[in-house]
Amino acid sequence: METTAKSNNSFLRKTLSVLGPGIITASLIFGPSKMTITSKMGADYGFSLLWVIVVAIFFMMIYSKMSARIGLASDDTILTLIRKKYGKITSVIIGLGIFLVAVSFQSGNSTGVSLSASEATGTNPKIWIVVFNLIGISLLFFRSFYSIFEKLMIALIILKLFSFLTTAIMVPPPLEAFAKGFIPSIPDGSIGLVIAFTASCFSIVGALYQAYLVQNSKKLSGGPSAKDTLRGSQTGTLLLGVMSMAVLVCAANTLYPQHIQVSSAAEMGKALEPLLGPSAKAIFFIGLFGASFSSLIGNAVLGGSLLGDTFKYGNDLNHRMVKIFISLVMIFGAAIALCYGKAPLELIVLAQSITIFLVPFIAVVMFSIANDKEIMKEHVNKPITKVWGALGLLLLIGLAISNLITLLK
């Protein structure tokens, strides 16, 4: 009996070490911003933007796998590699830029987690912004923070999947309309949502962090095989795509026919009514909380640990200075959310759009390192990966230009 328990524990640890990094990346990307943008895509344009999810997920898989291979190829962190290859200034620009991106995302995460509690209880959202950020900061003081962090992300991603995937399966979409959604088209007025979704789903910052997660996983577990690590990375990205499609399908099935334009969390919750009836709002708030709180923690860890690495404190999540930087992401993000005067959902969409200007620069540097045979050795990019990686760069540059034109109008 004891041998069986030990065997089960060993299997669980191995599974966590393989899937953990990919699932954490999916969790920090699939936050309130993703739920908001994807709900708006389905509510405003039905199934016609399903193809955007496929494109964004495909390129996210390319870059997250690339980043995972960087983590396998070198014991140096990716910012250390950037510092050695391109110099201190480049690494500082990227590290500070990612910190600012994390702070802008964090304001949306704080908003999302407060909405899930305030709209469910009828209380002031500002109270919950403070409460949940204090809870997030308090988690930093637990020993073995990475292990706690990994298990928390997995639990919350299960919560998200439950909320939307069950509805999408139990109330299936009309097949013809669903199939047409995979044919590329850009309906009038949808370009802003297309840019915001692609920027958030094809997340270069999230992909880059995969290298750190793989290195942390290697240290804790004794190192899963390279094949298992890359498979875990792809599984997390596929989960991200499944959740995004489930949210869009629910909104397209329920909100689009009623011409409901998403402007509040309660309206997003109506997408679950066909299956859950009067309980839909409560279940949606649980899913929104799972999405928001996982991103609140994950995004702060990403921004804080990379800023710590920028100033040569490494990426050890138990290092005192790294914990301070993680806390700063939460504090600054909460402060912006508390002070922002416009509708909270506008803030979430705006934060995703602005970051598209920084990511092409990060993607170029990451792509270059992954192509460096001296650094990567047997993990260097294969010719087909170089082709798809270059096309991904062109997509990001195109999005940045399109976003600039949109913002200047």
Side-chain angles (χ1 to χ4, degrees):
M1 193 80 173
E2 187 177 341
T3 304
T4 304
K6 286 182 179 178
S7 176
N8 289 337
N9 286 335
S10 177
F11 175 76
L12 181 60
R13 281 196 298 270
K14 183 178 179 182
T15 302
L16 285 175
S17 71
V18 172
L19 297 180
I23 287 177
I24 289 172
T25 300
S27 288
L28 68 91
I29 293 173
F30 196 88
S33 56
K34 178 69 77 282
M35 292 182 74
T36 302
I37 293 165
T38 314
S39 291
K40 286 181 71 64
M41 286 166 64
D44 294 353
Y45 302 102
F47 300 100
S48 61
L49 294 178
L50 275 169
W51 67 273
V52 178
I53 297 175
V54 175
V55 171
I57 288 296
F58 174 78
F59 284 110
M60 183 61 184
M61 290 181 73
I62 295 293
Y63 274 85
S64 61
K65 187 176 181 180
M66 196 185 298
S67 181
R69 284 192 283 102
I70 293 173
L72 288 170
S74 176
D75 290 330
D76 286 333
T77 65
I78 196 164
L79 277 175
T80 301
L81 292 173
I82 291 170
R83 188 160 50 242
K84 288 179 177 179
K85 187 174 176 67
Y86 294 107
K88 183 178 179 181
I89 293 176
T90 301
S91 69
V92 169
I93 289 172
I94 290 177
L96 287 174
I98 290 173
F99 178 77
L100 294 174
V101 168
V103 169
S104 71
F105 278 22
Q106 196 70 359
S107 59
N109 295 330
S110 291
T111 298
V113 78
S114 70
L115 284 176
S116 65
S118 66
E119 291 199 22
T121 60
T123 52
N124 189 331
K126 292 185 177 181
I127 295 172
W128 296 108
I129 289 174
V130 175
V131 168
F132 286 121
N133 275 282
L134 287 175
I135 292 172
I137 292 171
S138 70
L139 288 175
L140 298 173
F141 296 96
F142 285 90
R143 295 183 66 185
S144 303
F145 174 64
Y146 178 80
S147 179
I148 296 170
F149 171 57
E150 188 173 59
K151 289 171 184 174
L152 179 64
M153 295 302 101
I154 290 172
L156 290 172
I157 208 167
I158 291 171
L159 200 59
K160 304 173 199 180
L161 275 170
F162 167 77
S163 297
F164 281 95
L165 195 55
T166 50
T167 304
I169 292 171
M170 297 298 290
V171 187
L175 288 179
E176 185 178 350
F178 182 77
K180 284 183 178 178
F182 293 99
I183 301 172
S185 65
I186 300 180
D188 291 342
S190 66
I191 188 64
L193 284 175
V194 170
I195 291 171
F197 179 86
T198 308
S200 62
C201 194
F202 179 19
S203 170
I204 290 299
V205 173
L208 179 142
Y209 192 54
Q210 187 80 13
Y212 286 86
L213 293 169
V214 166
Q215 288 174 333
N216 271 318
S217 183
K218 283 195 301 183
K219 291 174 188 174
L220 290 175
S221 65
S225 69
K227 186 176 181 181
D228 282 344
T229 299
L230 296 176
R231 187 184 296 123
S233 167
Q234 301 300 70
T235 300
T237 309
L238 286 172
L239 271 176
L240 175 62
V242 168
M243 288 188 292
S244 298
M245 283 195 180
V247 172
L248 189 147
V249 166
C250 289
N253 257 344
T254 308
L255 306 183
Y256 180 68
Q258 299 179 57
H259 306 289
I260 296 174
Q261 294 189 342
V262 173
S263 59
S264 71
E267 287 176 344
M268 284 192 281
K270 290 180 181 178
L272 300 177
E273 285 182 353
L275 176 65
L276 301 171
S279 303
K281 189 184 293 186
I283 297 297
F284 174 79
F285 284 135
I286 292 172
L288 179 60
F289 172 80
S292 303
F293 193 67
S294 63
S295 291
L296 183 84
I297 303 296
N299 180 70
V301 169
L302 183 156
S305 61
L306 265 65
L307 187 63
D309 194 22
T310 301
F311 294 110
K312 300 184 180 180
Y313 293 111
N315 67 322
D316 180 2
L317 299 185
N318 290 310
H319 192 289
R320 183 173 63 88
M321 285 305 299
V322 173
K323 287 183 178 182
I324 289 173
F325 289 141
I326 293 171
S327 299
L328 286 177
V329 176
M330 294 190 192
I331 291 167
F332 290 155
I336 293 171
L338 287 168
C339 297
Y340 196 81
K342 295 183 181 179
L345 293 180
E346 289 181 28
L347 173 61
I348 291 172
V349 176
L350 181 63
Q352 297 290 343
S353 297
I354 290 174
T355 57
I356 197 67
F357 295 118
L358 178 68
V359 295
F361 176 63
I362 298 173
V364 167
V365 173
M366 193 168 90
F367 186 55
S368 174
I369 288 174
N371 288 335
D372 190 324
K373 195 166 185 178
E374 186 177 341
I375 294 172
M376 298 294 291
K377 300 179 178 63
E378 71 271 18
H379 296 293
V380 71
N381 278 343
K382 300 293 189 292
I384 188 65
T385 304
K386 291 179 181 179
V387 171
W388 288 119
L391 289 173
L393 287 178
L394 290 175
L395 173 62
L396 291 172
I397 292 167
L399 286 171
I401 293 170
S402 179
N403 197 33
L404 178 62
I405 293 170
T406 302
L407 290 175
L408 290 176
K409 284 182 179 178

